[in-house]
């Protein structure tokens, strides 16, 4: 059975559809279609969404049940003897559906009646557990319609946090520009944070190789109470944008890596210089060799600069200084000059006074007096 090639819709992905009440494979044929097509069917809210496969994220057709008129069984034979058909009459026309078996057809009819009439049907051959499930669907649909009837909250513009709170993989680019960046620089990472298309949210763009480039885009919304949430089938709340990136890295076991594009730096210093003759300005490059040091001026006359190393050395006496004469010359020894008689007399008078007064000199003065006597005796012996 040949099937027509469906066109992809340009709407929300499955994660952004209303709550799914029931799903499974159905064969569908509209009035203008010649053959049945086997499609994965999901009842989300007050509509039937058709997908080529249960793995697809984009639906190919949508059947709004708001124009419902009636529903009846179809007794026409199918090549599958267990299959059971029924038809829906809508304002836009009639649609024929084929379920795998009679039990599946009754359950689909029960969900359709529950959503359209907001009541549990009693004329269908259903089990107690199935009737209880339909009652829950009726309550969910009532709450959904009540929430949809409320006026929508005004959208707030995108608010970016402080610079330190923005991850390094953030790039102010569009969806298409993000794909080009990830395509051209695969070595810089494969996960990029960017502003959302609506101007009120953020988005994450990823790229992976699977027989070519495979791009994925995830919405990151801001919460009124603070923080962010990754809008997937099971929303993931995060406190900061850094937590958003870390969550995606952990969920993919490190397969995704933040996109960090490092721009090249200049290797030489460039500046704009004007020509003194014609006034034209041109780009000049500074020399790469180190600049020459300024010459050191000689010290002024009259001031002798002493090396700090030499000044720190202890001074030697005349007897301790090395002999610098010729090897054959005799080394001369210089005797100390004799002490003048006046100084010798004063020293004797001082010691006599101390004896008469019977004053004991302090240890330091006594030590100096003894040293002075020894020096006087040595000088006398030398003079003799």
């Amino acid at each position: 059975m040949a099937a027509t090639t469906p066109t992809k819709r340009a709407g929300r992905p499955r994660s952004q559809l209303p709550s799914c009440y029931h799903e499974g494979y159905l064969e569908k044929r509209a009035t203008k279609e010649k053959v049945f097509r086997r499609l994965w069917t999901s009842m989300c809210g007050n509509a039937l969404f058709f997908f080529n496969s249960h793995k697809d994220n984009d639906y190919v057709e949508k059947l709004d049940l708001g124009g419902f008129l009636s529903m009846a069984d179809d007794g026409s034979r199918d090549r599958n003897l267990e299959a059971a058909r029924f038809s829906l009459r809508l304002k836009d026309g009639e649609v024929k559906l084929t379920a795998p078996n009679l039990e599946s057809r009754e359950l689909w009819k029960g969900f359709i009646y529950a959503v359209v009439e907001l009541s549990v049907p009693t004329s269908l051959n259903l089990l107690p557990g199935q009737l209880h499930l339909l009652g829950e669907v009726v309550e969910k649909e009532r709450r959904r319609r009540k929430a949809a009837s409320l006026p929508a909250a005004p959208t707030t513009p995108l608010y970016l946090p402080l610079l330190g709170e923005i991850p390094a993989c953030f790039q102010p680019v569009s969806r298409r520009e993000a794909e080009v960046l990830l395509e051209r620089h695969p070595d810089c990472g494969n996960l990029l944070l960017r502003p959302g298309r609506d101007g009120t949210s953020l988005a994450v763009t990823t790229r992976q190789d699977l027989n070519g480039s495979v791009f994925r885009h995830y919405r990151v919304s801001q919460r009124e109470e603070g923080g962010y949430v990754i809008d997937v089938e099971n929303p993931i709340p995060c406190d900061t944008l850094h937590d958003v990136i870390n969550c995606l890295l952990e969920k993919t076991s490190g397969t995704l890596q933040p996109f960090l594009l490092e721009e090249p730096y200049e290797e030489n210093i460039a500046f704009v210089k004007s020509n003194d003759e014609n006034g034209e300005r041109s780009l000049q490059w500074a020399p790469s060799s180190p600049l020459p040091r300024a010459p050191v001026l000689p010290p002024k006359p009259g001031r002798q600069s002493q090396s700090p190393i030499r000044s720190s050395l202890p001074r030697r006496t005349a007897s301790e200084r090395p002999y610098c004469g010729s090897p054959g010359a005799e080394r001369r020894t210089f005797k100390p000059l004799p002490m003048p008689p006046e100084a010798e007399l004063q020293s004797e008078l001082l010691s006599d006074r101390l004896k008469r007064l019977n004053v004991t000199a302090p240890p330091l003065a006594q030590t100096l007096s003894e040293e002075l006597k020894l020096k006087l005796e040595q000088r006398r012996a030398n003079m003799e």
Side-chain angles (χ1 to χ4, degrees):
M1 175 166 38
T4 59
T5 304
T7 58
K8 276 195 173 183
R9 56 96 188 176
R12 295 173 296 174
R14 185 184 297 188
S15 60
Q16 298 182 14
L17 297 178
S19 299
C20 182
Y21 302 141
H22 187 58
E23 58 184 354
Y25 276 107
L26 288 177
E27 293 185 5
K28 173 187 172 295
R29 181 171 73 88
T31 304
K32 297 180 181 180
E33 297 176 346
K34 297 181 178 179
V35 296
F36 281 89
R37 286 185 296 152
R38 187 172 182 269
L39 302 172
W40 181 261
T41 309
S42 298
M43 175 177 285
C44 301
N46 193 27
L48 296 176
F49 295 88
F50 299 95
F51 301 83
N52 287 326
S53 171
H54 68 281
K55 296 182 180 180
D56 290 351
N57 190 45
D58 300 333
Y59 63 83
V60 294
E61 288 187 30
K62 175 184 176 181
L63 188 63
D64 192 354
L65 298 178
F68 176 82
L69 296 178
S70 64
M71 180 168 49
D73 296 340
D74 186 355
S76 59
R77 294 294 184 95
D78 187 81
R79 61 180 181 178
N80 182 8
L81 299 179
E82 295 183 359
R85 291 178 178 174
F86 62 103
S87 60
L88 290 176
R89 289 186 60 195
L90 307 173
K91 294 180 179 179
D92 298 336
E94 185 178 7
V95 178
K96 293 184 179 294
L97 299 173
T98 303
N101 48 55
L102 290 174
E103 182 181 356
S104 177
R105 183 182 68 178
E106 291 297 301
L107 190 57
W108 272 108
K109 289 166 60 178
F111 277 102
I112 294 174
Y113 278 128
V115 170
V116 172
E117 300 177 354
L118 292 179
S119 63
V120 178
T122 57
S123 59
L124 299 178
N125 186 16
L126 297 174
L127 299 175
Q130 295 173 339
L131 293 175
H132 178 73
L133 180 60
L134 294 180
E136 294 180 351
V137 170
V138 170
E139 294 299 326
K140 290 181 181 179
E141 182 62 15
R142 284 176 179 173
R143 291 195 298 266
R144 188 192 70 83
R145 293 188 186 184
K146 183 178 180 180
S149 62
L150 297 176
T155 57
T156 57
L158 175 63
Y159 168 75
L160 289 177
L162 298 176
L163 183 61
E165 300 177 6
I166 301 178
C169 60
F170 175 81
Q171 295 288 336
V173 295
S174 63
R175 172 183 287 215
R176 178 56 183 163
E177 292 172 342
E179 294 179 354
V180 173
L181 274 178
L182 296 176
E183 184 80 25
R184 291 182 178 177
H185 306 279
D187 297 335
C188 296
N190 56 358
L191 182 149
L192 183 147
L193 180 66
R194 60 177 178 82
R197 182 180 297 177
D198 55 3
T200 62
S201 62
L202 294 164
V204 172
T205 300
T206 64
R207 173 192 174 274
Q208 298 185 71
D209 290 322
L210 182 63
N211 298 327
S213 297
V214 178
F215 297 99
R216 288 290 181 267
H217 306 275
Y218 305 93
R219 185 193 301 273
V220 179
S221 303
Q222 293 176 322
R223 296 186 296 179
E224 295 181 358
E225 63 273 17
Y228 303 86
V229 59
I230 305 176
D231 292 333
V232 290
E233 185 174 0
N234 295 321
I236 305 174
C238 300
D239 294 334
T240 64
L241 291 177
H242 290 280
D243 294 336
V244 171
I245 303 302
N246 293 333
C247 176
L248 294 174
L249 299 184
E250 293 176 0
K251 293 289 185 182
T252 58
S253 302
T255 303
L256 298 178
Q257 291 297 324
F259 180 79
L260 302 176
L261 180 61
E262 296 185 359
E263 298 293 340
Y265 293 95
E266 298 293 339
E267 297 181 356
N268 296 311
I269 300 175
F271 61 96
V272 178
K273 186 178 181 181
S274 300
N275 193 328
D276 297 337
E277 297 180 358
N278 52 20
E280 294 182 357
R281 306 182 66 180
S282 60
L283 186 64
Q284 303 290 330
W285 302 95
S288 58
S289 58
L291 297 176
R293 296 184 179 180
V296 180
L297 297 177
K300 294 182 179 181
R303 294 184 180 180
Q304 296 180 357
S305 60
Q306 188 175 10
S307 173
I309 301 177
R310 184 174 182 181
S311 61
S312 62
L313 297 176
R315 294 185 178 182
R316 299 180 180 179
T317 61
S319 59
E320 294 176 345
R321 293 175 183 172
Y323 177 70
C324 300
S326 58
E330 295 182 359
R331 183 173 181 175
R332 297 180 182 180
T333 57
F334 298 90
K335 297 181 179 180
L337 296 176
M339 188 174 184
E342 296 179 355
E344 183 177 357
L345 180 62
Q346 291 179 359
S347 176
E348 293 179 355
L349 292 175
L350 179 60
S351 59
D352 292 340
R353 288 179 181 178
L354 293 175
K355 291 179 179 180
R356 291 176 183 178
L357 295 175
N358 196 16
V359 176
T360 304
L364 179 60
Q366 189 175 2
T367 304
L368 293 175
S369 178
E370 293 177 358
E371 291 180 359
L372 185 59
K373 289 181 180 181
L374 292 175
K375 290 182 179 181
L376 290 174
E377 291 177 358
Q378 290 179 0
R379 290 183 179 181
R380 287 176 182 177
N382 292 336
M383 290 177 65
E384 295 176 354

